[in-house]
Amino acid sequence: MRKKGNALKTEYRKSKEWVSFRKMLLEERGHVCECCGKRTKHLECHHIDPENYTDLTPEKFALLCHSCHSCVSDIERIKPENRKKLRNKEYLDLYGKFIAFPHEATN
């Protein structure tokens, strides 16, 4: 039986390569959410390019607290063409830089 999607990602996140990479990110960037600035030991590694989750280029990752990561994930679930319809533009401006397909400028 072949594993799909999230099962493969979950398995990959147990690998020595991933664990070492995540540890390196935390050591380099510190235990601070890159979105809101909250200091916490419980940061989540958000991949800005989730389709290529094995690409461990540090610039493609953000360390986010659970709250910010949840918000970013919520926006990612919205089709890019519908993101500009969000009522709270500040919400999109705050979290948009952590999304694989950034929203268009709203002028």
Side-chain angles (χ1 to χ4, degrees), residues 26-66:
L26 287 165
E27 288 172 357
E28 285 183 1
R29 299 182 187 177
H31 290 269
V32 178
C33 175
E34 294 179 43
C35 184
C36 71
K38 178 181 178 183
R39 290 192 162 282
T40 179
K41 290 182 180 179
H42 307 286
L43 289 172
E44 299 174 9
C45 245
H46 173 69
H47 202 312
I48 297 169
D49 184 14
E51 296 301 314
N52 299 303
Y53 66 91
T54 58
D55 177 356
L56 300 182
T57 303
E59 294 77 27
K60 292 186 177 186
F61 286 85
L63 295 174
L64 303 175
C65 68
H66 179 73

Side-chain angles (χ1 to χ4, degrees), residues 60-100:
K60 292 186 177 186
F61 286 85
L63 295 174
L64 303 175
C65 68
H66 179 73
S67 178
C68 288
H69 197 209
S70 292
C71 291
V72 168
S73 296
D74 288 347
I75 293 173
E76 284 180 326
R77 288 185 193 99
I78 300 170
K79 291 180 181 177
E81 62 270 18
N82 292 331
R83 290 178 190 157
K84 58 187 166 191
K85 297 177 186 175
L86 286 173
R87 290 185 191 161
N88 187 343
K89 299 298 181 201
E90 292 81 20
Y91 184 79
L92 189 56
D93 289 340
L94 178 64
Y95 299 110
K97 63 184 171 188
F98 302 107
I99 298 172

